Amino acid sequence: MIANKTRLDEVLSKNLLFVTGKGGVGKTTVAAAIALLAAESGRRTLVCEVEPKGDLGKLFGLGNAGFVAEQVRPNLSVMAMNTEEALREYLKIHLKFPVVSRLGPLAKMFDFVANAAPGVREILVVGKLCYEVRESRYDLVVVDSSASGHVVSQLSSPSGVGELLNVGMVREQTRWMLEILSDPARCGIALVSTAQETPIQEALDLAERISTETVVKLCLAIANKIMPTLFTEMEEQVFSQIDQMLSSVTLSKKNKENKLDGFFGLEDLVQATRLWQNIALGNEKQAQRLRQRSTGVAPYIQIPLVSAFSSGFGLIREVAETIEVELG
Amino acid sequence: MSSDNALARLLERQSIVLTAGAGGVGKTSCAAALAIFAAVEYGREVLVVTIDPALRLADALGLSGIGNEPHEVDLGEFANPKGRLFASMVDMKASWDEMIHRCAPNGAAAQRIMSNPVYQGISSRFVQSHDYIAVEVLYELYIQKRFDLIVVDTPPSRHAIDFLDSPKKMEEFFSSRLLRWLTLSRRGRLFSGVFKPFYQIADRILGSAFLGDLSEFFIEFQAMHDGFVQRANAVTEILSSQDSSFVVVASAEQVAIEEALYFMAELYARDLSLGAVVLNRSLPQWLLDFGPNSLVNEMGEKAPELARIMAKQVKSLNSPSDVGETETFVASLSIIERVLREMANCYSTLATMKEREEDLRSRLGVDPELVMSAPHMQEEITSLSTLHELGAMLCRS
């Protein structure tokens, strides 16, 4: 047996994986797909939606995922983050705080303090995720993280809160969280972007901030929803000749009978192909920037635009298959 | 211009236009495009306020660095610009500082607030504070009455709606019982029975040094209460007045459409005005107009024949002198066939995508007159003229 780990194993063998990127790039789907691959490779996996819009639950055919993890497939559970519930759990575990019924006003106060003290809300989120890892209830926790800016505040919260809170229990606990977060064998970030200029630029900026402001390392870069270019160089030449030919045929139509008349609609196909190629070339140019940024840092893969045709579990399955092939 | 649509009418008459929508749908570009178009075509004095523009868009607008002070954008490249365009990029930290200076009772109090670690955290790191400050900046610009039209690109946030709620939240924040409690003296707090357990817990979790910073901060902050609340109310009033309209931007994707639907429902619930919906990066209409293309289905069998005809056709089109040059197909028939099949695939894939897009569009459930489409731009927006072009497509579709 060859002991070589594939690049996929490398990702799936972590304990905590944050999937992040600009809104709308497909973070949720990618997180679900990676979680599915992990679960099917035998790892006990939890996938958590940090900003619960309900998209993750829907993908797995659940109504809405809740704070209590729910098993959706063998080895695979789904949960949605909820800071109030996270606080409740935190108090229960660390303070043996019994008066659960009194949490109403306490939660309100917490909300208030969390709004005022940057990092407190974030640290509860990251704390809950790290806690699941530390307690080894799951082998891998995949996090469908917050959009770009937020994730940096979340991941830098253990150190940030440490600075702000000199004493206190939260301060104590940032230490073990940082231990998990800063170990590249256990924790990593998968950065997802679509191949348009703005999302790519934001992804590159985010990669920079992740490396300078957080202790977590980038472990995967994904260009998502790619419309791939269709032709080899030779085929491209043939296509442009067909294109030229059809325009000259149209011009000479008046004069002589046209043998292509029987193929009504050919011009439409040309026009559609030209449109596709234009978008695809734009995609390629932008995806290239992400590839360059990740060279030497983390594996880079592309996922084609499948979301236009599938949804729900079928979509997760297709994306998972692509990831498996690309990282195999 | 008789072909002008609902969006064009907004740009001609409205005082405030806010673009809103999920992240990544091209909201900022739309805001900039509408602003340029209003300045060039409708002769208005326009200001576009951006929060966090992509680098190249900022370059196009001549925004070299962040700054709250509007600066004029040179419209010299347009033949006959009828109005003027200004642009500014919100500087969060500077805006917070300005606001503290405006609302604090005196300079010393302002200094104390600004040197508190809690304030430094809020103004620089805390993401949600962006929503409030964007509203603040808008208010300040609006009351100055320097511009006919202000186009605001709302900040990216979890839900675009946070932006609308921020003045109200700020007001709640100031009038909350908890704030009053926090600003009691430590002794007072310990003996105020109701809060005793909370204080003990907070003390253990967060540490008393932090709680000290926090209550000091709020004691200072409370002095600004009246100014704050007054401004928050004024902003809410402006947003719900006849002078403001929202333009919801979405791309033709399910998530973006859902976000747009949610936002529109919230606008409706708040009695705010929906000016238009922009469906960005939409595929061209001709994909549907051409109707079912029989060639797509028949390409499987017809490809070989078509490939042969094409190979000949090319020869016959070339004048004899051209023979032997690259104008003939250099490829074998099988390659031509493959290209033809790929073309058929392409058409059917795009047509399917367009159909899905139409489904999503129909889910918007608003008057079709209010929905504008903007195409996939082949080139990313790098110049004023491409922005103007986008504006023209939006306002004259």
Side-chain angles (χ1 to χ4, degrees):
Chain A
M1 219 179 95
I2 305 163
N4 271 352
K5 264 182 160 183
T6 65
R7 295 185 305 169
L8 181 63
D9 298 334
E10 203 70 62
V11 172
L12 300 186
S13 67
K14 299 201 186 310
N15 301 125
L16 183 56
L17 179 70
F18 293 89
V19 180
T20 186
K22 193 176 167 69
V25 298
K27 285 188 292 287
T28 306
T29 311
V30 168
I34 293 176
L36 180 66
L37 288 171
E40 292 184 344
S41 77
R43 290 177 68 73
R44 292 167 304 150
T45 307
L46 172 70
V47 52
C48 171
E49 186 173 39
V50 165
E51 279 173 7
K53 289 186 172 183
D55 297 341
L56 185 65
K58 264 183 238 155
L59 278 175
F60 284 105
L62 285 179
N64 256 334
F67 186 73
V68 177
E70 195 170 336
Q71 187 169 347
V72 287
R73 313 256 313 162
N75 281 331
L76 181 57
S77 301
V78 175
M79 70 165 279
M81 187 52 72
N82 174 329
T83 33
E84 192 181 326
E85 295 283 348
L87 174 67
R88 192 190 294 263
E89 188 177 282
Y90 177 91
L91 293 177
K92 227 163 80 188
I93 295 166
H94 298 287
L95 290 181
K96 317 266 181 283
F97 184 68
V99 204
V100 178
S101 60
R102 300 284 300 271
L103 200 59
L106 179 63
K108 219 171 163 189
M109 172 185 143
F110 164 73
D111 215 48
F112 176 77
V113 172
N115 273 317
V120 171
R121 190 186 298 279
E122 283 83 1
I123 203 158
L124 265 180
V125 169
V126 177
K128 162 73 178 168
L129 297 166
C130 288
Y131 180 75
E132 293 295 334
V133 170
R134 193 182 66 167
E135 296 300 297
S136 301
R137 281 195 236 166
Y138 301 97
D139 301 317
L140 171 64
V141 177
V142 181
V143 189
D144 172 14
S145 311
S146 320
S148 301
H150 292 69
V151 81
V152 174
S153 359
Q154 274 166 2
L155 294 178
S156 59
S157 64
S159 17
V161 165
E163 284 161 26
L164 201 59
L165 310 174
N166 284 319
V167 285
M169 257 169 83
V170 172
R171 170 89 170 111
E172 276 300 297
Q173 278 153 7
T174 56
R175 220 166 284 153
W176 63 264
M177 284 164 60
L178 281 170
E179 243 163 60
I180 295 177
L181 293 173
S182 61
D183 180 354
R186 303 186 69 189
C187 178
I189 292 183
L191 182 57
V192 187
S193 179
T194 48
Q196 278 102 34
E197 173 152 359
T198 314
I200 288 285
Q201 187 57 49
E202 202 162 300
L204 299 182
D205 294 346
L206 185 58
E208 195 53 37
R209 289 191 62 193
I210 287 168
S211 74
T212 54
E213 294 174 36
T214 78
V215 294
V216 191
K217 295 276 177 292
L218 189 68
C219 69
L220 182 60
I222 299 175
N224 195 18
K225 303 187 191 176
I226 299 288
M227 286 169 73
T229 49
L230 302 167
F231 298 135
T232 62
E233 213 172 301
M234 171 79 87
E235 288 166 346
E236 183 65 48
Q237 268 182 39
V238 170
F239 171 68
S240 65
Q241 283 188 318
I242 293 176
D243 188 357
Q244 277 170 29
M245 191 179 74
L246 279 173
S247 17
S248 29
V249 166
T250 317
L251 287 177
S252 60
K253 241 178 196 168
K254 284 176 261 167
N255 308 332
K256 47 185 177 185
E257 190 202 343
N258 182 358
K259 283 189 177 136
L260 290 172
D261 275 352
F263 300 97
F264 177 74
L266 195 55
E267 283 100 337
D268 305 349
L269 302 195
V270 171
Q271 205 171 331
T273 309
R274 217 185 296 132
L275 173 65
W276 182 290
Q277 289 292 80
N278 273 333
I279 300 174
L281 283 174
N283 275 188
E284 192 175 85
K285 189 173 142 199
Q286 294 303 328
Q288 190 63 29
R289 299 172 63 202
L290 184 62
R291 176 186 296 150
Q292 274 167 7
R293 176 64 176 77
S294 51
T295 302
V297 180
Y300 162 89
I301 62 171
Q302 288 191 356
I303 300 174
L305 180 73
V306 277
S307 61
F309 312 100
S310 318
S311 55
F313 190 73
L315 176 61
I316 304 178
R317 173 61 72 199
E318 276 193 64
V319 171
E321 276 167 10
T322 309
I323 294 175
E324 193 170 18
V325 170
E326 293 266 320
L327 282 179
Chain B
M1 274 166 276
S2 57
S3 60
D4 284 359
N5 60 23
L7 199 45
R9 289 193 292 275
L10 280 187
L11 296 186
E12 255 175 318
R13 285 167 215 158
Q14 200 49 292
S15 310
I16 298 177
V17 167
L18 304 104
T19 58
V25 295
K27 207 170 33 185
T28 310
S29 304
C30 277
L34 295 177
I36 288 180
F37 202 72
V40 174
E41 303 298 329
Y42 300 124
R44 308 195 76 195
E45 300 272 312
V46 186
L47 170 67
V48 55
V49 182
T50 61
I51 308 292
D52 184 21
L55 197 63
R56 286 168 74 182
L57 180 62
D59 283 349
L61 292 172
L63 292 166
S64 47
I66 50 173
N68 287 336
E69 190 51 38
H71 81 269
E72 185 160 4
V73 179
D74 182 8
L75 295 179
E77 66 182 85
F78 297 100
N80 180 23
K82 298 180 181 136
R84 298 203 294 166
L85 177 67
F86 295 79
S88 72
M89 184 169 13
V90 175
D91 178 342
M92 290 298 158
K93 180 82 178 90
S95 304
W96 271 104
D97 291 354
E98 275 169 32
M99 194 174 63
I100 299 296
H101 275 299
R102 253 194 320 267
C103 297
N106 56 54
Q111 272 316 317
R112 280 197 303 276
I113 290 175
M114 289 195 287
S115 58
N116 189 302
V118 174
Y119 172 73
Q120 284 163 9
I122 286 189
S123 55
S124 59
R125 220 170 348 170
F126 177 41
V127 191
Q128 271 145 305
S129 69
H130 292 189
D131 290 325
Y132 182 74
I133 215 65
V135 174
E136 243 314 298
V137 169
L138 172 62
Y139 175 76
E140 198 54 34
L141 290 164
Y142 179 77
I143 55 169
Q144 289 172 9
K145 294 279 176 219
R146 281 168 62 193
F147 304 97
D148 301 333
L149 168 66
I150 304 176
V151 181
V152 186
D153 174 31
T154 61
S157 57
R158 174 158 38 165
H159 273 311
I161 211 73
D162 292 346
F163 174 78
L164 298 180
D165 287 338
S166 56
K168 206 174 106 237
K169 275 194 198 138
M170 201 48 106
E171 198 200 326
E172 280 172 9
F173 179 83
F174 273 111
S175 21
S176 83
R177 212 153 66 105
L178 287 159
L179 181 59
R180 285 209 302 279
W181 169 74
L182 259 180
T183 51
L184 281 177
S185 71
R186 185 182 157 88
R187 226 180 113 78
R189 265 196 309 261
L190 275 173
F191 292 103
S192 116
V194 196
F195 288 115
K196 198 173 169 192
F198 304 143
Y199 185 78
Q200 286 170 337
I201 288 166
D203 200 32
R204 278 189 69 186
I205 299 179
L206 302 168
S208 50
F210 175 70
L211 275 185
D213 281 344
L214 196 64
S215 39
E216 212 165 274
F217 172 67
F218 286 125
I219 290 167
E220 297 288 355
F221 217 60
Q222 195 144 42
M224 307 195 302
H225 172 267
D226 293 347
F228 250 94
V229 170
Q230 200 190 344
R231 288 174 80 87
N233 288 337
V235 170
T236 311
E237 216 163 279
I238 293 168
L239 289 183
S240 39
S241 77
Q242 298 258 313
D243 289 349
S244 307
S245 291
F246 286 82
V247 171
V248 175
V249 186
S251 61
E253 281 190 279
Q254 191 159 344
V255 181
I257 294 281
E258 270 163 23
E259 181 79 17
L261 282 171
Y262 173 80
F263 191 77
M264 288 191 290
E266 295 290 324
L267 286 181
Y268 184 75
R270 288 169 171 77
D271 218 9
L272 298 171
S273 144
L274 173 67
V277 181
V278 170
L279 207 55
N280 206 4
R281 296 193 198 118
S282 79
L283 290 166
Q285 194 61 35
W286 54 256
L287 283 166
L288 293 181
D289 295 347
F290 289 165
N293 189 317
S294 57
L295 197 53
V296 169
N297 300 323
E298 292 162 12
M299 189 54 92
E301 12 172 321
K302 286 196 174 167
E305 187 194 350
L306 193 50
R308 270 197 307 280
I309 296 175
M310 288 193 147
K312 270 189 212 145
Q313 194 87 19
V314 169
K315 269 183 211 152
S316 77
L317 277 172
N318 292 327
S319 64
S321 62
D322 284 332
V323 172
E325 307 226 348
T326 49
E327 283 300 307
T328 48
F329 275 119
V330 284
S332 67
L333 284 175
S334 71
I335 292 182
I336 304 177
E337 271 175 48
R338 199 157 63 233
V339 170
L340 286 167
R341 291 208 174 91
E342 199 65 79
M343 285 164 60
N345 280 338
C346 226
Y347 183 92
S348 81
T349 309
L350 286 173
T352 312
M353 283 166 68
K354 183 64 186 174
E355 274 164 31
R356 266 184 67 114
E357 197 181 298
E358 287 300 294
D359 274 358
L360 289 171
R361 176 196 292 263
S362 67
R363 284 185 48 199
L364 284 172
V366 290
D367 181 353
E369 292 262 296
L370 293 184
V371 186
M372 321 298 157
S373 296
H376 261 284
M377 298 291 267
Q378 303 309 0
E379 288 289 317
E380 288 284 338
I381 292 177
T382 52
S383 68
L384 294 181
S385 62
T386 34
L387 283 169
H388 180 269
E389 213 175 286
L390 176 60
M393 281 185 278
L394 288 169
C395 294
R396 290 178 179 158
S397 64

